[in-house]
Amino acid sequence: QVQLVESGGGLVQPGGSLKLSCVASGSGFSINAMAWYRQAPGKQRELVATITAGYLTNYADFVKGRFTISRDNAKNTVYLHMNYLKPEDTAVYYCLRGSWGTGYWGQGTQVTVSS
């Protein structure tokens, strides 16, 4: 059974940084694409960043230059390094083991950017 557990969220001031982690159970992690999504109150869930099995990355325009997705296959973990955070980055952040919005989801971790 595949499970995903996110961590690293919290309260941070504008301009600050956070590092989110998502640990996946089950075999085959290294051959799966992974992604981070987020959902703000009253809004639809949106794609933030993706990373393929071959370490190719892609980012939503609103995080380019500020966020970095990475993975450590030895630890079955995908990361989201978030810099220069803005209040509009406030959301629950979810990791996905899969692609195109389908696969296994974590339970989410809250990120709040506020002074």
Side-chain angles (χ1 to χ4, degrees), residues 23-79:
V23 180
S25 65
S27 60
F29 176 84
S30 63
I31 65 172
N32 289 146
M34 299 293 297
W36 285 96
Y37 283 72
R38 71 185 188 186
Q39 187 167 18
K43 295 188 177 181
Q44 290 188 334
R45 192 172 296 189
E46 59 185 0
L47 178 64
V48 175
T50 63
I51 185 166
T52 68
Y55 295 88
L56 294 176
T57 59
N58 192 37
Y59 298 92
D61 286 344
F62 51 79
V63 303
K64 281 182 180 177
R66 300 189 298 125
F67 291 11
T68 302
I69 188 171
S70 62
R71 65 190 297 162
D72 184 340
N73 289 341
K75 296 181 179 180
N76 276 20
T77 301
V78 63
Y79 304 99

Side-chain angles (χ1 to χ4, degrees), residues 6 9-10 15 19 21-22 24 36 39-40 50 57 62-63 89 95 100 108-111 115:
E6 300 101 330
K19 177 183 174 182
S21 301
C22 172
W36 285 96
Q39 187 167 18
T50 63
T57 59
F62 51 79
V63 303
D89 294 319
C95 70
W100 301 105
T109 185
Q110 175 70 46
V111 172
S115 56

